[in-house]
PDB file of all heavy atoms in Angstrom:
ATOM      1  N   LEU A  34     115.763 -26.623 124.681  1.00 98.00           N
ATOM      2  CA  LEU A  34     115.261 -26.941 126.023  1.00 98.00           C
ATOM      3  C   LEU A  34     114.565 -28.297 126.121  1.00 98.00           C
ATOM      4  O   LEU A  34     114.587 -28.914 127.193  1.00 98.00           O
ATOM      5  CB  LEU A  34     114.367 -25.817 126.535  1.00 98.00           C
ATOM      6  CG  LEU A  34     115.095 -24.684 127.274  1.00 98.00           C
ATOM      7  CD1 LEU A  34     115.751 -25.154 128.545  1.00 98.00           C
ATOM      8  CD2 LEU A  34     116.086 -23.948 126.426  1.00 98.00           C
ATOM      9  N   PRO A  35     113.979 -28.851 125.041  1.00 98.00           N
ATOM     10  CA  PRO A  35     113.459 -30.216 125.150  1.00 98.00           C
ATOM     11  C   PRO A  35     114.553 -31.229 125.517  1.00 98.00           C
ATOM     12  O   PRO A  35     114.276 -32.241 126.164  1.00 98.00           O
ATOM     13  CB  PRO A  35     112.873 -30.491 123.764  1.00 98.00           C
ATOM     14  CG  PRO A  35     112.438 -29.138 123.281  1.00 98.00           C
ATOM     15  CD  PRO A  35     113.543 -28.221 123.778  1.00 98.00           C
ATOM     16  N   LEU A  36     115.786 -30.951 125.148  1.00 98.00           N
ATOM     17  CA  LEU A  36     116.902 -31.820 125.523  1.00 98.00           C
ATOM     18  C   LEU A  36     117.121 -31.788 127.039  1.00 98.00           C
ATOM     19  O   LEU A  36     117.367 -32.829 127.655  1.00 98.00           O
ATOM     20  CB  LEU A  36     118.187 -31.390 124.815  1.00 98.00           C
ATOM     21  CG  LEU A  36     118.178 -31.455 123.290  1.00 98.00           C
ATOM     22  CD1 LEU A  36     119.392 -30.737 122.723  1.00 98.00           C
ATOM     23  CD2 LEU A  36     118.103 -32.880 122.803  1.00 98.00           C
ATOM     24  N   LEU A  37     117.023 -30.611 127.629  1.00 98.00           N
ATOM     25  CA  LEU A  37     117.151 -30.484 129.087  1.00 98.00           C
ATOM     26  C   LEU A  37     116.097 -31.328 129.788  1.00 98.00           C
ATOM     27  O   LEU A  37     116.398 -32.070 130.721  1.00 98.00           O
ATOM     28  CB  LEU A  37     117.012 -29.022 129.509  1.00 98.00           C
ATOM     29  CG  LEU A  37     116.825 -28.796 131.020  1.00 98.00           C
ATOM     30  CD1 LEU A  37     118.090 -29.137 131.784  1.00 98.00           C
ATOM     31  CD2 LEU A  37     116.372 -27.374 131.289  1.00 98.00           C
ATOM     32  N   VAL A  38     114.860 -31.206 129.327  1.00 98.00           N
ATOM     33  CA  VAL A  38     113.749 -31.926 129.949  1.00 98.00           C
ATOM     34  C   VAL A  38     114.012 -33.427 129.928  1.00 98.00           C
ATOM     35  O   VAL A  38     113.907 -34.115 130.951  1.00 98.00           O
ATOM     36  CB  VAL A  38     112.415 -31.581 129.250  1.00 98.00           C
ATOM     37  CG1 VAL A  38     111.283 -32.471 129.757  1.00 98.00           C
ATOM     38  CG2 VAL A  38     112.072 -30.104 129.434  1.00 98.00           C
ATOM     39  N   LYS A  39     114.401 -33.950 128.775  1.00 98.00           N
ATOM     40  CA  LYS A  39     114.650 -35.393 128.658  1.00 98.00           C
ATOM     41  C   LYS A  39     115.866 -35.805 129.496  1.00 98.00           C
ATOM     42  O   LYS A  39     115.859 -36.876 130.105  1.00 98.00           O
ATOM     43  CB  LYS A  39     114.839 -35.780 127.190  1.00 98.00           C
ATOM     44  CG  LYS A  39     114.987 -37.267 126.943  1.00 98.00           C
ATOM     45  CD  LYS A  39     113.861 -38.112 127.538  1.00 98.00           C
ATOM     46  CE  LYS A  39     112.565 -37.981 126.807  1.00 98.00           C
ATOM     47  NZ  LYS A  39     111.510 -38.866 127.391  1.00 98.00           N
ATOM     48  N   CYS A  40     116.893 -34.976 129.569  1.00 98.00           N
ATOM     49  CA  CYS A  40     118.049 -35.296 130.429  1.00 98.00           C
ATOM     50  C   CYS A  40     117.613 -35.447 131.881  1.00 98.00           C
ATOM     51  O   CYS A  40     117.985 -36.422 132.545  1.00 98.00           O
ATOM     52  CB  CYS A  40     119.117 -34.206 130.325  1.00 98.00           C
ATOM     53  SG  CYS A  40     120.140 -34.268 128.851  1.00 98.00           S
ATOM     54  N   LEU A  41     116.832 -34.506 132.353  1.00 98.00           N
ATOM     55  CA  LEU A  41     116.378 -34.568 133.745  1.00 98.00           C
ATOM     56  C   LEU A  41     115.500 -35.796 133.985  1.00 98.00           C
ATOM     57  O   LEU A  41     115.601 -36.445 135.038  1.00 98.00           O
ATOM     58  CB  LEU A  41     115.626 -33.287 134.117  1.00 98.00           C
ATOM     59  CG  LEU A  41     116.493 -32.030 134.207  1.00 98.00           C
ATOM     60  CD1 LEU A  41     115.608 -30.790 134.355  1.00 98.00           C
ATOM     61  CD2 LEU A  41     117.502 -32.115 135.334  1.00 98.00           C
ATOM     62  N   GLU A  42     114.663 -36.143 133.011  1.00 98.00           N
ATOM     63  CA  GLU A  42     113.812 -37.334 133.150  1.00 98.00           C
ATOM     64  C   GLU A  42     114.650 -38.603 133.243  1.00 98.00           C
ATOM     65  O   GLU A  42     114.388 -39.472 134.078  1.00 98.00           O
ATOM     66  CB  GLU A  42     112.833 -37.426 131.981  1.00 98.00           C
ATOM     67  CG  GLU A  42     111.735 -36.385 132.012  1.00 98.00           C
ATOM     68  CD  GLU A  42     110.870 -36.357 130.761  1.00 98.00           C
ATOM     69  OE1 GLU A  42     111.210 -37.029 129.749  1.00 98.00           O
ATOM     70  OE2 GLU A  42     109.847 -35.644 130.792  1.00 98.00           O
ATOM     71  N   ILE A  43     115.671 -38.711 132.392  1.00 98.00           N
ATOM     72  CA  ILE A  43     116.496 -39.924 132.390  1.00 98.00           C
ATOM     73  C   ILE A  43     117.364 -39.990 133.647  1.00 98.00           C
ATOM     74  O   ILE A  43     117.546 -41.068 134.219  1.00 98.00           O
ATOM     75  CB  ILE A  43     117.324 -40.025 131.094  1.00 98.00           C
ATOM     76  CG1 ILE A  43     116.377 -40.285 129.910  1.00 98.00           C
ATOM     77  CG2 ILE A  43     118.369 -41.137 131.200  1.00 98.00           C
ATOM     78  CD1 ILE A  43     117.047 -40.306 128.556  1.00 98.00           C
ATOM     79  N   ILE A  44     117.896 -38.866 134.099  1.00 98.00           N
ATOM     80  CA  ILE A  44     118.655 -38.874 135.354  1.00 98.00           C
ATOM     81  C   ILE A  44     117.746 -39.354 136.485  1.00 98.00           C
ATOM     82  O   ILE A  44     118.142 -40.180 137.306  1.00 98.00           O
ATOM     83  CB  ILE A  44     119.238 -37.477 135.678  1.00 98.00           C
ATOM     84  CG1 ILE A  44     120.323 -37.102 134.655  1.00 98.00           C
ATOM     85  CG2 ILE A  44     119.811 -37.445 137.097  1.00 98.00           C
ATOM     86  CD1 ILE A  44     120.772 -35.652 134.730  1.00 98.00           C
ATOM     87  N   ARG A  45     116.520 -38.858 136.510  1.00 97.00           N
ATOM     88  CA  ARG A  45     115.574 -39.231 137.566  1.00 97.00           C
ATOM     89  C   ARG A  45     115.254 -40.727 137.528  1.00 97.00           C
ATOM     90  O   ARG A  45     115.020 -41.341 138.571  1.00 97.00           O
ATOM     91  CB  ARG A  45     114.288 -38.421 137.426  1.00 97.00           C
ATOM     92  CG  ARG A  45     113.269 -38.795 138.504  1.00 97.00           C
ATOM     93  CD  ARG A  45     112.320 -37.688 138.735  1.00 97.00           C
ATOM     94  NE  ARG A  45     113.007 -36.614 139.417  1.00 97.00           N
ATOM     95  CZ  ARG A  45     112.553 -36.020 140.495  1.00 97.00           C
ATOM     96  NH1 ARG A  45     111.434 -36.409 141.036  1.00 97.00           N
ATOM     97  NH2 ARG A  45     113.217 -35.037 141.045  1.00 97.00           N
ATOM     98  N   GLU A  46     115.249 -41.335 136.340  1.00 96.00           N
ATOM     99  CA  GLU A  46     114.970 -42.777 136.193  1.00 96.00           C
ATOM    100  C   GLU A  46     116.084 -43.641 136.788  1.00 96.00           C
ATOM    101  O   GLU A  46     115.878 -44.822 137.021  1.00 96.00           O
ATOM    102  CB  GLU A  46     114.829 -43.149 134.710  1.00 96.00           C
ATOM    103  CG  GLU A  46     113.578 -42.637 134.058  1.00 96.00           C
ATOM    104  CD  GLU A  46     113.578 -42.861 132.545  1.00 96.00           C
ATOM    105  OE1 GLU A  46     114.530 -43.497 132.006  1.00 96.00           O
ATOM    106  OE2 GLU A  46     112.642 -42.393 131.893  1.00 96.00           O
ATOM    107  N   ASN A  47     117.259 -43.060 136.960  1.00 96.00           N
ATOM    108  CA  ASN A  47     118.418 -43.796 137.478  1.00 96.00           C
ATOM    109  C   ASN A  47     118.544 -43.555 138.978  1.00 96.00           C
ATOM    110  O   ASN A  47     118.967 -42.472 139.403  1.00 96.00           O
ATOM    111  CB  ASN A  47     119.693 -43.356 136.754  1.00 96.00           C
ATOM    112  CG  ASN A  47     119.771 -43.941 135.368  1.00 96.00           C
ATOM    113  OD1 ASN A  47     120.332 -45.012 135.197  1.00 96.00           O
ATOM    114  ND2 ASN A  47     119.188 -43.256 134.392  1.00 96.00           N
ATOM    115  N   PRO A  48     118.222 -44.554 139.798  1.00 96.00           N
ATOM    116  CA  PRO A  48     118.190 -44.354 141.250  1.00 96.00           C
ATOM    117  C   PRO A  48     119.545 -44.044 141.885  1.00 96.00           C
ATOM    118  O   PRO A  48     119.593 -43.574 143.018  1.00 96.00           O
ATOM    119  CB  PRO A  48     117.629 -45.676 141.780  1.00 96.00           C
ATOM    120  CG  PRO A  48     117.884 -46.675 140.702  1.00 96.00           C
ATOM    121  CD  PRO A  48     117.872 -45.919 139.413  1.00 96.00           C
ATOM    122  N   ASP A  49     120.628 -44.269 141.167  1.00 97.00           N
ATOM    123  CA  ASP A  49     121.959 -43.995 141.714  1.00 97.00           C
ATOM    124  C   ASP A  49     122.402 -42.549 141.518  1.00 97.00           C
ATOM    125  O   ASP A  49     123.485 -42.169 141.973  1.00 97.00           O
ATOM    126  CB  ASP A  49     122.994 -44.921 141.081  1.00 97.00           C
ATOM    127  CG  ASP A  49     122.756 -46.373 141.425  1.00 97.00           C
ATOM    128  OD1 ASP A  49     122.128 -46.647 142.472  1.00 97.00           O
ATOM    129  OD2 ASP A  49     123.185 -47.249 140.644  1.00 97.00           O
ATOM    130  N   TYR A  50     121.582 -41.744 140.817  1.00 98.00           N
ATOM    131  CA  TYR A  50     121.968 -40.377 140.468  1.00 98.00           C
ATOM    132  C   TYR A  50     120.962 -39.361 140.990  1.00 98.00           C
ATOM    133  O   TYR A  50     119.783 -39.662 141.164  1.00 98.00           O
ATOM    134  CB  TYR A  50     122.068 -40.221 138.944  1.00 98.00           C
ATOM    135  CG  TYR A  50     123.209 -40.985 138.336  1.00 98.00           C
ATOM    136  CD1 TYR A  50     123.083 -42.340 138.039  1.00 98.00           C
ATOM    137  CD2 TYR A  50     124.420 -40.359 138.070  1.00 98.00           C
ATOM    138  CE1 TYR A  50     124.142 -43.048 137.482  1.00 98.00           C
ATOM    139  CE2 TYR A  50     125.479 -41.061 137.514  1.00 98.00           C
ATOM    140  CZ  TYR A  50     125.335 -42.400 137.221  1.00 98.00           C
ATOM    141  OH  TYR A  50     126.385 -43.101 136.680  1.00 98.00           O
ATOM    142  N   GLU A  51     121.455 -38.128 141.195  1.00 98.00           N
ATOM    143  CA  GLU A  51     120.572 -37.007 141.503  1.00 98.00           C
ATOM    144  C   GLU A  51     121.074 -35.774 140.756  1.00 98.00           C
ATOM    145  O   GLU A  51     122.268 -35.654 140.466  1.00 98.00           O
ATOM    146  CB  GLU A  51     120.483 -36.749 143.005  1.00 98.00           C
ATOM    147  CG  GLU A  51     121.786 -36.417 143.670  1.00 98.00           C
ATOM    148  CD  GLU A  51     121.662 -36.333 145.201  1.00 98.00           C
ATOM    149  OE1 GLU A  51     120.658 -36.793 145.757  1.00 98.00           O
ATOM    150  OE2 GLU A  51     122.602 -35.800 145.816  1.00 98.00           O
ATOM    151  N   SER A  52     120.135 -34.877 140.431  1.00 98.00           N
ATOM    152  CA  SER A  52     120.466 -33.705 139.630  1.00 98.00           C
ATOM    153  C   SER A  52     120.339 -32.420 140.438  1.00 98.00           C
ATOM    154  O   SER A  52     119.465 -32.285 141.296  1.00 98.00           O
ATOM    155  CB  SER A  52     119.557 -33.635 138.405  1.00 98.00           C
ATOM    156  OG  SER A  52     118.194 -33.559 138.789  1.00 98.00           O
TER     157      SER A  52
END
Side-chain angles (χ1 to χ4, degrees):
L34 272 296
L36 298 168
L37 167 69
V38 172
K39 185 53 72 178
C40 282
L41 291 171
E42 289 172 350
I43 291 176
I44 292 169
R45 179 156 289 230
E46 289 172 4
N47 284 269
D49 295 335
Y50 292 83
E51 60 187 15
S52 59

